[in-house]
Amino acid sequence: MKRICNQCQTEMINDCRVTVEADISGIKITQKGKGLFNNVSAKLKASVCPNCGNVALYVDDFNKFKQ
Ligand SMILES: [Zn+2]
């Protein structure tokens, strides 16, 4: 999926990893489900705009998350 920078409308570079320094596993987004094992989680990724440096965060498996 193409992401367009909301600052300058340049196409952003997807699939950049988001990591905390000294922790290569990155950051996870988790949504609690109803049951004990129904939690869904996805790894946080980032898009970087090569034109202005704007960063957008997203997850790939957003379909797993329900309202
Ligand atoms: Zn930009």
Side-chain angles (χ1 to χ4, degrees):
M1 192 198 337
K2 269 188 192 174
R3 281 164 207 284
I4 304 297
C5 176
N6 60 14
Q7 302 298 318
C8 67
Q9 275 67 55
T10 299
E11 189 181 325
M12 299 181 84
I13 298 169
N14 288 333
D15 219 20
C16 299
R17 270 176 72 188
V18 181
T19 55
V20 180
E21 232 175 301
D23 178 9
I24 54 162
S25 57
I27 298 175
K28 244 174 153 184
I29 307 289
T30 305
Q31 181 188 39
K32 255 194 163 176
K34 286 196 177 80
L36 193 57
F37 300 104
N38 286 335
N39 289 0
V40 292
S41 63
K43 264 209 169 154
L44 192 60
K45 289 185 172 181
S47 302
V48 179
C49 175
N51 190 50
C52 73
N54 184 41
V55 172
L57 299 176
Y58 67 98
V59 293
D60 273 341
D61 310 328
F62 56 86
N63 289 331
K64 292 194 298 191
F65 290 81
K66 296 184 187 118
Q67 287 185 333

